[in-house]
């Protein structure tokens, strides 16, 4: 899969709140870096992170734009209640090798609208 296709599939699986399916899109040695948080290394640790996140939050990711740049893709997203953010994904061999997810962008937008 091309990076854009991987991200589109990531969004589909994320919106199903299926941590196992989301983690399958990552390489075994992948790194996921949520903004202002400690990086998560390895597919099993990434799966655990998503399991914990899905148990607490029911965020829906609605893609606004997906940019494909070489072997990377950038996702601009929103959710149904108006939060916004972005993610950057580096893809190797049709799997996510590195992901950066700016969840704090959604917090700043939500705070500014209240």
């Amino acid at each position: 899969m091309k990076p854009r296709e991987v991200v589109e599939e990531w969004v589909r699986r994320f919106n199903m709140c299926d941590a196992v399916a989301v983690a399958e899109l990552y390489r075994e040695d992948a790194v996921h870096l949520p903004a202002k948080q400690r990086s998560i290394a390895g597919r099993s640790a990434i799966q655990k992170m998503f399991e914990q996140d899905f148990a607490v939050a029911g965020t829906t990711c609605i893609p606004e734009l997906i940019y494909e740049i070489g072997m990377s893709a950038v996702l601009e997203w929103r959710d149904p209640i108006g939060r916004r953010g972005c993610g950057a994904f580096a893809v190797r061999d049709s799997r996510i090798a590195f992901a950066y997810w700016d969840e704090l962008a959604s917090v700043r937008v939500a705070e500014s609208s209240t």
Side-chain angles (χ1 to χ4, degrees):
M1 285 190 285
K2 292 183 176 187
R4 179 186 183 92
E5 295 168 326
V6 172
V7 171
E8 289 170 341
E9 183 61 17
W10 185 93
V11 169
R12 188 183 74 76
R13 294 178 187 197
F14 179 89
N15 286 339
M16 292 174 23
C17 294
D18 187 338
V20 173
V22 172
E24 287 172 351
L25 292 171
Y26 288 79
R27 294 172 49 91
E28 285 290 338
D29 61 348
V31 174
H32 185 92
L33 178 58
K36 304 272 186 175
Q37 296 180 31
R38 185 178 57 84
S39 63
I40 311 297
R43 184 187 293 159
S44 62
I46 292 167
Q47 177 181 325
K48 184 177 179 178
M49 176 200 68
F50 280 113
E51 287 169 350
Q52 293 170 345
D53 288 352
F54 292 153
V56 175
T59 300
T60 299
C61 178
I62 302 168
E64 289 286 310
L65 295 167
I66 299 175
Y67 303 97
E68 186 174 287
I69 308 156
M71 295 309 299
S72 299
V74 176
L75 165 68
E76 291 185 30
W77 60 271
R78 65 178 173 85
D79 73 5
I81 62 171
R83 294 180 297 186
R84 305 180 74 76
C86 65
F89 301 81
V91 177
R92 284 195 327 230
D93 303 321
S94 298
R95 295 262 188 262
I96 299 166
F98 177 82
Y100 171 80
W101 188 254
D102 189 351
E103 299 169 5
L104 296 180
S106 64
V107 174
R108 286 190 297 271
V109 171
E111 288 173 350
S112 67
S113 65
T114 56

